[in-house]
Coordinates of all heavy atoms in Angstrom, one line a residue:
V6 N 133.2 234.9 206.2 CA 132.3 233.9 205.6 C 132.5 233.9 204.1 O 132.7 235.0 203.5 CB 130.9 234.1 206.0 CG1 130.6 234.0 207.5 CG2 130.4 235.5 205.5
S7 N 132.4 232.7 203.5 CA 132.7 232.6 202.0 C 131.4 232.6 201.2 O 131.4 232.4 200.0 CB 133.4 231.3 201.7 OG 132.7 230.2 202.3
V8 N 130.3 232.9 201.9 CA 129.0 233.0 201.2 C 128.4 234.4 201.3 O 128.8 235.2 202.2 CB 128.0 231.9 201.7 CG1 128.5 230.5 201.5 CG2 127.7 232.2 203.2
E9 N 127.4 234.7 200.5 CA 126.7 236.0 200.6 C 126.1 236.1 202.0 O 125.6 235.2 202.6 CB 125.7 236.1 199.5 CG 126.3 236.2 198.1 CD 127.2 237.5 198.0 OE1 126.8 238.5 198.4 OE2 128.3 237.3 197.4
P10 N 126.0 237.4 202.5 CA 125.4 237.6 203.8 C 124.0 237.0 203.9 O 123.6 236.4 205.0 CB 125.4 239.1 203.9 CG 126.5 239.6 203.1 CD 126.6 238.6 201.9
A11 N 123.1 237.1 202.9 CA 121.8 236.6 202.9 C 121.8 235.1 203.1 O 121.0 234.5 203.9 CB 121.0 237.0 201.7
K12 N 122.7 234.4 202.4 CA 122.8 232.9 202.5 C 123.3 232.5 203.9 O 122.9 231.6 204.5 CB 123.7 232.4 201.4 CG 123.8 230.9 201.4 CD 124.6 230.3 200.3 CE 124.6 228.8 200.3 NZ 125.4 228.2 199.2
F13 N 124.3 233.3 204.4 CA 124.8 233.0 205.7 C 123.7 233.1 206.7 O 123.6 232.3 207.6 CB 126.0 234.0 206.0 CG 126.5 233.9 207.4 CD1 127.2 232.7 207.9 CD2 126.3 234.9 208.3 CE1 127.6 232.6 209.2 CE2 126.7 234.8 209.6 CZ 127.4 233.7 210.1
A14 N 122.9 234.2 206.6 CA 121.9 234.4 207.6 C 120.8 233.3 207.6 O 120.3 232.8 208.6 CB 121.2 235.8 207.4
A15 N 120.5 232.9 206.3 CA 119.4 231.9 206.2 C 119.9 230.5 206.5 O 119.1 229.7 207.1 CB 118.8 232.0 204.8
A16 N 121.1 230.1 206.1 CA 121.5 228.7 206.1 C 122.4 228.4 207.3 O 122.5 227.2 207.7 CB 122.2 228.3 204.8
H17 N 123.1 229.4 207.9 CA 124.1 229.0 208.9 C 123.9 229.7 210.2 O 124.1 229.1 211.3 CB 125.5 229.4 208.3 CG 125.9 228.6 207.1 ND1 126.3 227.3 207.2 CD2 125.9 228.9 205.8 CE1 126.5 226.8 206.0 NE2 126.3 227.8 205.1
W18 N 123.5 231.0 210.2 CA 123.5 231.8 211.4 C 122.6 231.1 212.5 O 121.4 230.9 212.2 CB 123.0 233.2 211.1 CG 122.8 234.1 212.3 CD1 121.6 234.5 212.9 CD2 123.8 234.7 213.2 NE1 121.8 235.3 214.0 CE2 123.1 235.4 214.2 CE3 125.2 234.6 213.1 CZ2 123.8 236.1 215.1 CZ3 125.9 235.3 214.1 CH2 125.2 236.1 215.1
G19 N 123.2 230.7 213.6 CA 122.4 230.0 214.6 C 122.0 228.6 214.3 O 121.4 228.0 215.2
H20 N 122.5 228.0 213.2 CA 122.0 226.7 212.8 C 123.2 225.7 212.6 O 123.2 224.7 213.3 CB 121.2 226.7 211.5 CG 119.9 227.6 211.7 ND1 118.9 227.2 212.5 CD2 119.5 228.7 211.0 CE1 118.0 228.1 212.5 NE2 118.3 229.0 211.5
T21 N 124.0 226.0 211.6 CA 125.0 225.0 211.2 C 126.4 225.7 211.0 O 126.5 226.8 210.7 CB 124.6 224.3 209.9 OG1 124.5 225.3 208.9 CG2 123.3 223.5 210.0
P22 N 127.5 224.9 211.2 CA 128.8 225.5 211.0 C 129.0 225.8 209.6 O 128.4 225.3 208.7 CB 129.7 224.3 211.5 CG 128.9 223.5 212.4 CD 127.5 223.6 211.8
L23 N 130.0 226.7 209.3 CA 130.4 227.0 208.0 C 132.0 227.1 207.9 O 132.5 227.9 208.7 CB 129.8 228.4 207.6 CG 130.3 228.9 206.2 CD1 129.9 228.0 205.1 CD2 129.8 230.4 206.0
L24 N 132.6 226.3 207.1 CA 134.0 226.4 206.9 C 134.3 227.2 205.7 O 133.7 227.0 204.6 CB 134.6 225.0 206.7 CG 136.0 224.9 206.3 CD1 137.0 225.4 207.4 CD2 136.4 223.4 205.9
S25 N 135.2 228.2 205.8 CA 135.5 229.1 204.7 C 137.0 229.0 204.5 O 137.8 229.5 205.4 CB 135.1 230.5 204.9 OG 133.7 230.6 205.1
R26 N 137.5 228.5 203.4 CA 138.9 228.4 203.2 C 139.5 229.7 202.7 O 138.7 230.6 202.1 CB 139.2 227.3 202.1 CG 138.9 225.9 202.6 CD 139.8 225.5 203.7 NE 139.6 224.1 204.1 CZ 140.2 223.5 205.1 NH1 141.0 224.2 205.9 NH2 140.1 222.2 205.3
A27 N 140.8 229.9 202.9 CA 141.4 231.2 202.6 C 141.2 231.6 201.1 O 140.9 232.8 200.8 CB 142.9 231.1 202.9
A28 N 141.2 230.6 200.2 CA 141.1 230.9 198.8 C 139.7 231.4 198.5 O 139.5 232.0 197.4 CB 141.4 229.6 198.0
E29 N 138.7 231.1 199.4 CA 137.3 231.5 199.1 C 137.0 232.9 199.7 O 135.9 233.4 199.5 CB 136.4 230.5 199.7 CG 136.6 229.1 199.2 CD 135.7 228.1 200.0 OE1 135.9 228.0 201.2 OE2 134.9 227.4 199.4
L30 N 138.0 233.5 200.4 CA 137.7 234.7 201.1 C 138.4 235.9 200.4 O 139.4 235.6 199.6 CB 138.3 234.6 202.6 CG 137.5 233.6 203.4 CD1 138.2 233.5 204.8 CD2 136.1 234.0 203.6
P31 N 138.0 237.1 200.6 CA 138.5 238.2 199.8 C 140.0 238.5 200.0 O 140.6 239.1 199.1 CB 137.6 239.4 200.2 CG 137.1 239.0 201.5 CD 136.9 237.5 201.5
D32 N 140.5 238.2 201.1 CA 141.9 238.5 201.4 C 142.7 237.2 201.7 O 142.8 236.8 202.8 CB 142.1 239.5 202.6 CG 143.5 240.0 202.8 OD1 144.4 239.5 202.0 OD2 143.7 240.8 203.6
P33 N 143.2 236.5 200.6 CA 143.8 235.2 200.9 C 145.1 235.3 201.7 O 145.7 234.3 202.1 CB 144.1 234.7 199.4 CG 144.2 236.0 198.6 CD 143.2 237.0 199.2
T34 N 145.6 236.5 201.9 CA 146.8 236.7 202.7 C 146.5 236.4 204.2 O 147.5 236.2 205.0 CB 147.4 238.1 202.6 OG1 146.5 239.1 203.1 CG2 147.8 238.4 201.2
G35 N 145.3 236.3 204.6 CA 144.9 235.9 205.9 C 144.6 237.1 206.9 O 144.1 238.1 206.4
F36 N 144.9 236.9 208.1 CA 144.5 237.8 209.2 C 145.6 238.4 210.0 O 145.4 239.0 211.0 CB 143.6 237.0 210.2 CG 142.4 236.4 209.5 CD1 142.4 235.0 209.3 CD2 141.3 237.1 209.0 CE1 141.3 234.4 208.7 CE2 140.3 236.5 208.4 CZ 140.2 235.1 208.2
T37 N 146.9 238.3 209.5 CA 148.0 238.9 210.2 C 148.0 240.4 210.3 O 148.6 241.0 211.2 CB 149.3 238.4 209.6 OG1 149.3 238.8 208.2 CG2 149.5 236.9 209.7
D38 N 147.2 241.1 209.5 CA 147.0 242.5 209.6 C 146.2 242.9 210.9 O 146.3 244.0 211.4 CB 146.4 243.1 208.4 CG 145.0 242.6 208.1 OD1 144.8 241.3 208.2 OD2 144.0 243.4 207.9

């Protein structure tokens, strides 16, 4: 998730989708590891 955990819990968890682009995430190399 590209937002702080508290914001994710309040605004998205169980309510609405959240799109997080690679550039917004801590490891822009992705998930191949």
Side-chain angles (χ1 to χ4, degrees):
V6 298
S7 56
V8 297
E9 292 298 317
K12 182 176 181 180
F13 173 69
H17 297 284
W18 176 252
H20 299 298
T21 59
L23 173 64
L24 173 64
S25 301
R26 294 296 189 184
E29 302 171 302
L30 296 173
D32 188 354
T34 61
F36 305 105
T37 53
D38 62 312

